[in-house]
Amino acid sequence: MTVARPASDGQANIPDSSALPSYWSVICSSVTSLPPSSPRRRTVVKAAAATAAATAVAAPVVLGGSASAAEAPAFLHGVASGDPLPDGVLLWTRVTPSSDAVPGSGKGAETEVGWEVAEDREFTSVVARGTTTAGAVSDHTVKADVRGLRQATVYYFRFIAGGTVSPVGRTRTAPASDAAAPGVRFGVVSCSNWEAGYFSAYRHLAARADLDAVLHLGDYIYEYATGDFPAAEYAVRQHEPTHEIISLADYRTRHGRYKSDADLRALHAAHPVIAIWDDHEFANDAWSGGAENHTPGTEGAWADRAAAARQAYFEWMPVRASTEGTVYRRLRFGSLADLHLLDLRSFRSQQTTAGNSAVDDPERTITGRAQLDWLKAGLAGSDAVWKLVGTSVMISPVAFGSLPVHLLGPIAELLGLPKEGLAVNVDQWDGYTDDRKELLGHLTQRGIKNTVFLTGDIHMAWANDVPVTAATYPLSRSAATEFVVTSVTSDNLDDILHVPAGTLSVVATAAVQLANRHVKWVDMDHHGYGVLDVTAERTQMDYYTISDRTDPGATASWARSYRTTSGSQRIERADRPVR
């Protein structure tokens, strides 16, 4: 459990972070070696449109249902859409047939649910409709994979059960695969810890009418018990259930808790969401055979827990599962962009320790062989102008204490360090350098241009070139670029150290950029979201921050913008956000 120590001797309150995600142990540990003029710090060790969902005004369509006459079904968790195609989109909702049929309860009668898709919010021009059944076997969630729609078109949708009409959702189909789309624009988010703050970032994205979709890059939910991360004294609201989630009922309940949030429901009602998972949808630092935050002796078999988490995820998220029952898949937005979405938890080898030569072991993998081959083939075969890759953890190498190139190789050999630099986060691609080397080599050898990695996980915003050899950059080439978005609410540097923004982070940021010339910008202190705008000429990420994650009415403001121009494989600063 995360417990803050009292401050003394001028030191900040630094958590005893047995539940902190691993990347923050790395960053916070670096603060312990600040120059003498800086305050001393303890080492932190690793372990752990907004109202678019208004109720439909059209007369309800009465369908047969199983709820008692005294208790009408309700749509308490909103509506959602996802994974847009040129001719279709996936629709989602959960119906509560009776008051006892709460998420994870296994209670509630089977209920017939109808759905409708229309060209207008009033549903005077319905273009598709159908019915399905909600039951306890799927936690009363339902999906409709609607096809036969027009390309690049806004539609409205709703559900009906037992005379009750759901809120109205707005969605949008993708451009035709061969269409020369003038542009595509995504909201980009990650890392939304319920207890750490309010989801204002979602509200601000929901209010935008210019997005084609929202890309969620993982950590949509967190598995921790109440008070674990952040510590109870810093939590603004409480998880449900309050214990760490392990069983299928637990994961269902936690998903239901998240979708009780009005800002999250507004986001789903306003835009299609394209989501991948990271570790916290399962457990911290998950890998194919376990997780840092999983103890088989007291929490059962990892395979059972992972299966429960996976089932609840697909029940509660507007996501199409791949044939392997995972989330790696590919979506296309005309001839402008292919979006390759990765699963970096289901197939990876167990994390090693920093400073261990095992990070270079070719037998260890973050993607798994099949997924890496799939990605390489997709990138090589793409005729889209831009190849976007949704990756839940950062691919750019990041090192502290970077050495001159003529010393790096020998020192790495002697000390058993990764040959691309001194890795600081073995849960990222830095812990699996052979996969990264193969992928970046593929990009350069095949002459694949305009690959942009879109990343979450680390609770900071970054703009990076992705160098083939970090130690010799910028003299060596950049194979791709990477935009990393900060967290919606999850703790970043100033939160963990309980210091004002822009204090210790100034030193840590300088250390990162001094040792990593390919890192063009990093913000370690703020929460918010990104807006990615893609045209044939350039791809630009606008970074927005929220005023206060503990304020449910937080405002949002533009912070920075970076772009990569077609053919450059380099990041440059832009002086204004896209309009």
Side-chain angles (χ1 to χ4, degrees), residues 3 12 94 140 156 168 224 249 276 287 290 352 356 396 414 434 437 518 550:
V3 180
R94 183 186 193 267
H140 286 92
Y156 299 89
V168 173
Y224 294 121
I276 57 176
W287 58 285
T352 185
N356 188 322
S396 300
L414 286 172
D434 196 71
K437 181 179 179 181
H518 56 284
T550 67

Side-chain angles (χ1 to χ4, degrees), residues 45-216:
V45 297
K46 173 190 175 290
T51 57
T55 302
V57 297
V61 179
V62 179
L63 297 172
S66 302
S68 67
E71 193 171 15
F75 295 94
L76 303 179
H77 300 91
V79 298
S81 67
D83 283 5
L85 303 173
D87 69 337
V89 69
L90 187 68
L91 308 182
W92 176 95
T93 194
R94 183 186 193 267
V95 62
T96 303
S98 53
S99 59
D100 63 341
V102 296
S105 67
K107 298 180 180 179
E110 287 194 352
T111 303
E112 189 175 26
V113 182
W115 54 266
E116 294 180 328
V117 179
E119 295 177 337
D120 62 311
R121 185 178 291 278
E122 290 72 33
F123 288 80
T124 60
S125 180
V126 174
V127 298
R129 56 166 49 96
T131 60
T132 186
T133 300
V137 68
S138 61
D139 207 21
H140 286 92
T141 63
V142 295
K143 292 181 181 180
D145 199 345
V146 182
R147 301 298 174 94
L149 304 179
R150 294 200 313 273
Q151 64 192 40
T153 301
V154 171
Y155 289 99
Y156 299 89
F157 64 97
R158 66 184 180 185
F159 296 85
I160 310 99
T164 302
V165 182
S166 77
V168 173
R170 175 188 178 275
T171 192
R172 182 179 179 88
T173 54
S177 296
D178 58 352
V184 62
R185 190 173 294 177
F186 302 103
V188 189
V189 288
S190 75
C191 303
S192 44
N193 188 335
W194 176 275
E195 294 202 336
Y198 296 101
F199 295 161
S200 301
Y202 291 156
R203 171 167 46 85
H204 290 289
L205 283 173
R208 296 187 66 129
D210 60 341
L211 303 180
D212 293 275
V214 170
L215 179 59
H216 201 297

Side-chain angles (χ1 to χ4, degrees), residues 152-510:
T153 301
V154 171
Y155 289 99
Y156 299 89
F157 64 97
R158 66 184 180 185
F159 296 85
I160 310 99
T164 302
V165 182
S166 77
V168 173
R170 175 188 178 275
T171 192
R172 182 179 179 88
T173 54
S177 296
D178 58 352
V184 62
R185 190 173 294 177
F186 302 103
V188 189
V189 288
S190 75
C191 303
S192 44
N193 188 335
W194 176 275
E195 294 202 336
Y198 296 101
F199 295 161
S200 301
Y202 291 156
R203 171 167 46 85
H204 290 289
L205 283 173
R208 296 187 66 129
D210 60 341
L211 303 180
D212 293 275
V214 170
L215 179 59
H216 201 297
L217 293 168
D219 294 343
Y220 182 98
I221 66 168
Y222 277 70
E223 86 282 10
Y224 294 121
T226 287
D228 274 1
F229 179 61
E233 64 189 288
Y234 301 108
V236 301
R237 50 185 178 173
Q238 192 173 82
H239 282 315
E240 176 66 29
T242 58
H243 58 264
E244 182 181 331
I245 54 176
I246 298 171
S247 68
L248 176 58
D250 291 342
Y251 282 98
R252 286 170 164 175
T253 302
R254 186 66 57 88
H255 274 281
R257 181 67 153 177
Y258 269 68
K259 284 192 170 68
S260 71
D261 183 89
D263 292 337
L264 179 53
R265 294 199 309 271
L267 178 76
H268 278 298
H271 308 295
V273 169
I274 302 166
I276 57 176
W277 57 47
D278 193 29
D279 53 340
H280 291 292
E281 287 87 349
F282 297 84
N284 184 53
D285 284 1
W287 58 285
S288 60
E292 179 275 331
N293 192 28
H294 180 75
T295 307
T298 58
E299 295 176 335
W302 171 251
D304 294 338
R305 182 176 183 177
R310 185 175 288 105
Q311 179 177 336
Y313 184 89
F314 284 124
E315 289 172 346
W316 279 87
M317 296 294 291
V319 169
R320 292 188 189 90
S322 71
T323 54
E324 294 84 5
T326 180
V327 293
Y328 80 80
R329 61 202 189 280
R330 187 175 294 117
L331 297 172
R332 186 172 172 92
F333 293 84
S335 58
L336 183 62
D338 280 337
L339 175 59
H340 312 262
L341 300 158
L342 303 186
D343 174 359
L344 299 184
R345 294 294 166 183
S346 297
F347 312 104
R348 70 157 70 196
S349 307
Q350 185 173 10
Q351 297 87 345
T352 185
T353 55
N356 188 322
S357 62
V359 298
D360 293 325
D361 186 349
E363 298 302 315
R364 298 180 67 257
T365 180
I366 191 171
T367 60
R369 184 74 258 164
Q371 183 177 198
L372 185 56
D373 287 345
W374 168 87
L375 176 59
K376 289 168 59 181
L379 293 169
S382 174
D383 62 354
V385 177
W386 295 95
K387 293 81 176 169
L388 309 178
V389 183
T391 170
S392 59
V393 296
M394 192 155 70
I395 191 168
S396 300
V398 178
F400 287 95
S402 183
L403 297 168
V405 64
H406 68 281
L407 295 176
L408 180 60
I411 294 293
E413 286 288 336
L414 286 172
L415 301 182
L417 296 170
K419 298 178 179 62
E420 295 176 330
L422 309 184
V424 299
N425 185 352
V426 294
D427 191 55
Q428 296 179 171
W429 290 72
D430 268 337
Y432 305 86
T433 64
D434 196 71
D435 275 0
R436 181 171 63 197
K437 181 179 179 181
E438 180 177 339
L439 179 56
L440 299 186
H442 178 72
L443 295 178
T444 57
Q445 293 159 19
R446 299 293 295 267
I448 300 170
K449 299 184 182 300
N450 296 346
T451 301
V452 180
F453 292 92
L454 307 172
T455 308
D457 176 66
I458 202 168
H459 307 180
M460 296 178 279
W462 301 62
N464 305 324
D465 291 342
V466 184
V468 176
T469 306
T472 57
Y473 183 88
L475 299 178
S476 57
R477 65 193 305 179
S478 175
T481 53
E482 181 174 33
F483 298 116
V484 183
V485 293
T486 188
S487 62
V488 172
T489 60
S490 301
D491 281 7
N492 47 31
L493 189 63
D494 60 323
D495 302 319
I496 289 176
L497 298 178
H498 308 300
V499 297
T503 54
L504 291 181
S505 61
V506 173
V507 179
T509 297

